[in-house]
Each structure stands twice: as structure tokens, then as C-alpha cells.
Amino acid sequence: MTLKELLLHNRSYRRFDQSHFISQHTLVELIDLARLAPSARNMQPLRYVLVNDAEVNSQIFPCLAWAGYLKEWPGPVEGERPSAYIVITRDTTLCENIFCDDGLAIQTILLGAVEQGLGGCIIGAVNRRKVAELLAIDDQYEILYVLALGKPVETVVLEEMQEGKVQYWRDENQHHHVPKRSLGELVLKSIGNK
């Protein structure tokens, strides 16, 4: 796939084929990609907890909030839940500010996942205390996000934003619609030669 194709397939997927197993080897490969991403001041403060155990996954799931704009939807049902999680943390002994390291690492992980036929969702609404207790994560490591991973079973439709409405939504077929701003709206100026 070209980079644009990878990006077009890299959506926030929230429904997965829960029976599709993601190996620890695959999770480690994704972290190896993240390891190669740039890091502010080259501090490399991110640390990861990799989970693909069904029982532990079932304990992590209720610690997460899904799809803030879909108020009536409590999240994926059993059978459509993630097959794996990557808990992204900051080693607090290395730095106080991660700048943009988290975004670079997460995008790299997700692009790697797409390349392998997987998808994911970045979850910031996390009961961090419970997840830290469940996974025995030392206080030295601040939980930033939980990345839910699996084989997507939903259709995500990108569409032109209408009247400035940024909210994503689901249609009667449960297709997930994501409004995108136009390129013309994003480029303020283009200075230079054609």
C-alpha cells in the first residue's frame, strides 16, 4: 500500500472480530516500529504494556469509554471487542513533557497495524488507576492512552464536513461516518512558485 492508502485505511475502528488472535510477536513488531519514530530531544520516554490474553482483555474493557459522540452506544458488544491492547505509558523518571512523542508513536503503531490487516482505536478516556492495578504497572509509569487493536468488522466512511459539524455518526447499517474538513479549509496560504 502507498502511504495515502495506509492513511485512508487507518481509521478509529471500534468494532472488531474478537476471535481474530493477535500474537505477542505482532504486538512486539508494532512497538519496534514505534521505537524507530522520532522522539523530542531523543528522550524516548514511552513504555508499553502489551496484552493479548482474552481474560485480561475482558478486565481492561470496562475501564475504557468508547465513542464520546455516540452517547447511546456503550461500546462494542461481546464478539466485537478488541483482541489486544497496548497500554502506552510515560516513564516519569526520564522527562515531564513528552511533546509530540505519543502522537508519532501511536500513528506509527496504527499504520503498522493497517499494513497487517488490523485496525485500532486510541482511547484517552481510561480509568488509569484500575488499569494500573490490573496490570501491576509501577507508579513510575504514567498511563497516557490505551490502544485497542483487532481485525476491523465495521465500515468507516470519510465524507466532506457539512456546516462545520465535526461529530462522527452511525447510519442505520452501523456504518461509521467521519466528517473531514476540506483541504482548502486547512491550507491558510501557499507561498511560492507553482
Side-chain angles (χ1 to χ4, degrees):
M1 280 192 234
T2 66
L3 179 57
K4 187 166 187 175
E5 289 169 333
L6 285 170
L7 289 168
L8 287 170
H9 286 91
N10 180 24
R11 310 294 1 126
S12 290
Y13 294 107
R14 294 175 179 86
R15 293 170 44 232
F16 307 95
D17 173 358
Q18 192 171 343
S19 69
H20 182 85
F21 180 71
I22 300 175
S23 71
Q24 282 289 321
H25 176 75
T26 296
L27 295 173
V28 169
E29 283 181 336
L30 294 175
I31 300 310
D32 194 37
L33 292 174
R35 181 181 69 84
L36 302 175
S39 174
R41 298 169 297 154
N42 202 34
M43 290 302 296
Q44 305 170 60
L46 301 179
R47 300 294 182 269
Y48 308 90
V49 178
L50 313 178
V51 183
N52 71 344
D53 178 87
E55 178 59 34
V56 178
N57 286 351
S58 70
Q59 295 174 50
I60 291 173
F61 181 80
C63 298
L64 310 175
W66 294 82
Y69 287 139
L70 304 177
K71 302 293 184 201
E72 72 289 347
W73 189 64
V77 297
E78 188 65 41
E80 293 186 344
R81 294 182 178 166
S83 302
Y85 293 102
I86 297 175
V87 180
I88 301 166
T89 75
R90 172 182 69 95
D91 184 338
T92 61
T93 66
L94 294 177
C95 62
E96 289 189 26
N97 190 331
I98 56 171
F99 298 99
C100 59
D101 283 21
D102 52 347
L104 291 164
I106 291 169
Q107 179 77 323
T108 301
I109 291 167
L110 288 173
L111 290 174
V114 168
E115 186 179 43
Q116 296 192 36
L118 303 172
C121 186
I122 307 162
I123 303 174
V126 177
N127 183 329
R128 288 166 174 79
R129 182 187 55 76
K130 275 191 166 182
V131 171
E133 288 174 7
L134 173 65
L135 301 177
I137 299 173
D138 189 277
D139 289 344
Q140 170 181 338
Y141 303 101
E142 173 194 10
I143 295 174
L144 303 174
Y145 303 97
V146 173
L147 188 57
L149 294 170
K151 185 163 187 62
V153 295
E154 67 180 336
T155 300
V156 177
V157 180
L158 300 180
E159 56 190 39
E160 195 76 19
M161 185 180 292
Q162 302 296 319
E163 301 173 7
K165 294 180 181 173
V166 297
Q167 292 85 357
Y168 47 80
W169 55 281
R170 294 249 167 98
D171 64 24
E172 64 279 355
N173 297 316
Q174 293 304 305
H175 294 164
H176 191 81
H177 294 259
V178 181
K180 291 302 214 180
R181 296 185 189 276
S182 70
L183 184 58
E185 185 178 349
L186 299 181
V187 178
L188 294 178
K189 293 181 183 182
S190 181
I191 302 168
N193 300 319
K194 288 188 176 191

